[in-house]
Amino acid sequence: MTDQPITSPVQPRAADEPGQPTPSPELDELYRGFEKELLVPLWTEIGDLMPAHPRSKAMPYLWRWSDLLPLARRAGDLVPVGRGGERRAIALANPSLGGRPFVSPTLWAAIQYLMPGEDAPEHRHTQHAFRFVVEGEGVWTVVGRDPVAMRRGDFLPQAGWNWHAHHNATDEPMAWIDGLDIPFQYATESQFFEFGREEISDAEQITPARSRSERLWGHPGLRPVGVEHDDPGTPLLAYRWKHTDRALADQLELEAEGHAGTVEPGHAAVRFTHPGTGVDVLPTIRAEMHRIRSGAQTAPRREVGSSVYQVFDGSGTVTVGSETWSVTRGDLFVVPSWQPFSARSEAGHSDSDSGALDLFRFSDSPVFEALHAHRVHVEGQH
C-alpha cells in the first residue's frame, strides 16, 4: 500500500439531479469507504462516461501554411537532422489537448522540412505513417531499401515497423506533411522504436523513375501473382497525383454529362486503398482526396472519430463546429469527433486556379470501424 495521499475520485452530484441519492451521514460514510478502496460509483459519473453523443477533448483549429512554412525554414537554419532528434518535424498541437503535440486524441500531423543535401537517418517504429506533398519535389524516401520519389500531390503511405529514411540531393529545401497514429499508440501503450543503419547503400542514393513497389503494385486492377505481402498496410508506397487528379476530374465530368459518380452534387472524392484487398492503406488511418467544384458546397457532416484536412489547391470557406474560416493552399485544420463539417469552393484569385477546392483528408475511421463504433450523419439524409 502507498502512503501517499490520494485525491478522492468520488465527486457526489447534487441531490436534486435525477437518480442521485438523498444526502445523509450514512451516504457520506459510504463515499468515504469508496475513496479508501479507490472505487467510483457509476451514478456520479455516468454523464461524463456515457454522454448522449461524442464530446471530443480536441477543438476545431486552423493552421495557416503561410505561417508554418517560414517557421520550418527557420528551423532548417537552426536545427540539425541526425541521431537524437531524428527528424525536423514540427507537430501541430491542438490547443485544448494540454500542450501535447497531438492534432487530435488519435492523430498526429506535422510539417517536415529537409534542407539541401540532408539525410534524415533510417529508423523504424510501430506507428503507421504517411507523407503528403503539397508543394515541391526532389526528396525521396527509402522504405525497406526501396527508393521512392516525392513530388507535389503524391501520397506516400508506410505501415509501421518498416525501415525508412529521407534524402534531399537537390539544391532546394523541401517541406511536406507527416501523418501518424502516434497519439493512439501512445494512449494504448503499444509503441516500439529502433534506430537503423548509419549509412545507406549506393543503390538507395539514386531515385529511379518508379520504385519497386510501383512496378509491382501500381497497375490499376492488377495484382502480381506469386508475390506475398504480409505487411498490415498497403504494398504500394506512392499514389501519384496524376492518377488522383484524373480520377477526380472524371467524376465531375461524368456528373456534368448526367451520370452518377460523385459523393454529392459538385463534390468528387477518392479513397486511397490497398491494391490487393481494397481496404484502407493503413490499419489505423484512412486517406482521401476531395474536389469541390467552384461554387459548390458540401452538406454538413458529423462523423465519429477525428479528421485532418490540408488544402491542396484552390480556395474556399470551411465550417467546423461553430468556427468558419477562409482557406487557401497548404492550410491545415482539424475536425474533432462528431463536430459538423462543411466546405464551399470559391473562385480563385489567379489565372492558374481552376476554382475547384482540392482537400486532402486523413482520419482515424478504420479504428472505429474495426470496433463497430463508427457512425456518420449527413444533414438532410436519414
Side-chain angles (χ1 to χ4, degrees):
M1 296 287 291
T2 179
D3 294 327
Q4 296 296 320
I6 298 174
T7 302
S8 170
V10 181
Q11 301 294 329
R13 295 184 180 275
D16 58 356
E17 289 188 26
Q20 295 304 309
T22 302
S24 67
E26 292 79 10
L27 183 65
D28 291 341
E29 182 179 0
L30 176 65
Y31 282 159
R32 286 194 294 271
F34 288 161
E35 292 169 11
K36 181 180 179 181
E37 299 300 329
L38 296 182
L39 302 172
V40 179
L42 176 62
W43 60 84
T44 67
E45 300 291 330
I46 191 167
D48 291 329
L49 297 177
M50 299 180 181
H53 56 78
R55 298 190 303 210
S56 179
K57 294 181 176 66
M59 63 180 289
Y61 200 77
L62 170 74
W63 290 264
R64 299 284 184 192
W65 189 248
S66 59
D67 295 330
L68 299 183
L69 197 54
L71 290 170
R73 290 186 182 123
R74 187 63 175 148
D77 295 333
L78 298 174
V79 180
V81 171
R83 288 296 181 220
E86 290 292 297
R87 300 287 189 265
R88 192 184 292 107
I90 308 159
L92 310 185
N94 192 293
S96 65
L97 294 181
R100 299 300 301 170
F102 303 157
V103 72
S104 85
T106 54
L107 297 174
W108 163 287
I111 178 174
Q112 187 167 164
Y113 198 79
L114 204 60
M115 295 289 283
E118 281 190 327
D119 298 324
E122 185 181 70
H123 66 208
R124 66 176 179 174
H125 42 71
T126 49
Q127 293 86 353
H128 302 295
F130 70 81
R131 285 156 284 284
F132 178 72
V133 186
V134 73
E135 58 185 38
E137 63 178 77
V139 168
W140 70 93
T141 184
V142 179
V143 180
R145 305 196 180 187
D146 187 5
V148 187
M150 296 171 58
R151 309 181 190 97
R152 170 167 160 77
D154 291 348
F155 170 69
L156 303 104
Q158 170 221 300
W161 214 234
N162 279 284
W163 296 110
H164 58 284
H166 314 310
H167 311 288
N168 186 355
T170 72
D171 56 2
E172 295 290 336
M174 185 169 162
W176 63 90
I177 67 163
D178 292 332
L180 296 92
D181 61 358
I182 291 175
F184 174 75
Q185 293 206 24
Y186 180 84
T188 54
E189 301 176 342
S190 58
Q191 64 270 48
F192 291 86
F193 177 92
E194 283 187 7
F195 294 114
R197 298 167 297 160
E198 295 295 334
E199 301 291 337
I200 64 172
S201 67
D202 291 342
E204 294 168 42
Q205 299 184 47
I206 300 172
T207 311
R210 291 185 300 152
S211 63
R212 294 195 305 273
S213 78
E214 292 171 89
R215 292 163 65 188
L216 274 176
W217 295 95
H219 307 285
L222 303 172
R223 62 171 297 170
V225 175
V227 177
E228 299 297 328
H229 182 76
D230 298 326
D231 199 281
T234 175
L236 183 58
L237 299 177
Y239 293 71
R240 299 300 181 188
W241 171 244
K242 64 180 181 180
H243 301 133
T244 307
D245 181 38
R246 186 67 263 167
L248 294 169
D250 282 348
Q251 285 187 27
L252 290 176
E253 287 173 6
L254 284 168
E255 180 191 64
E257 295 167 5
H259 303 290
T262 54
V263 180
E264 55 189 326
H267 177 194
V270 292
R271 181 173 299 164
F272 300 101
T273 59
H274 187 303
T277 63
V279 301
D280 286 295
V281 289
L282 297 170
T284 55
I285 295 176
R286 173 166 296 164
E288 299 172 338
M289 183 66 78
H290 294 251
R291 176 168 292 168
I292 304 166
R293 191 186 62 234
S294 180
Q297 179 163 346
T298 67
R301 174 188 179 95
R302 296 177 186 262
E303 186 168 347
V304 169
S306 50
S307 298
V308 179
Y309 288 80
Q310 183 172 38
V311 180
F312 177 67
D313 208 2
S315 56
T317 302
V318 298
T319 298
V320 184
S322 61
E323 301 287 342
T324 298
W325 305 294
S326 293
V327 294
T328 190
R329 179 187 286 193
D331 291 348
L332 294 121
F333 57 93
V334 58
V335 180
S337 184
W338 212 243
Q339 289 285 322
F341 164 69
S342 62
R344 178 178 177 83
S345 180
E346 297 172 353
H349 302 291
S350 68
D351 294 338
S352 60
D353 193 331
S354 67
L357 178 63
D358 285 353
L359 296 171
F360 170 74
R361 175 200 183 212
F362 71 99
S363 73
D364 51 19
S365 296
V367 175
F368 296 101
E369 289 182 354
L371 297 172
H372 300 281
H374 191 246
R375 183 179 294 188
V376 176
H377 173 74
V378 181
E379 188 174 296
Q381 296 182 7
H382 298 288

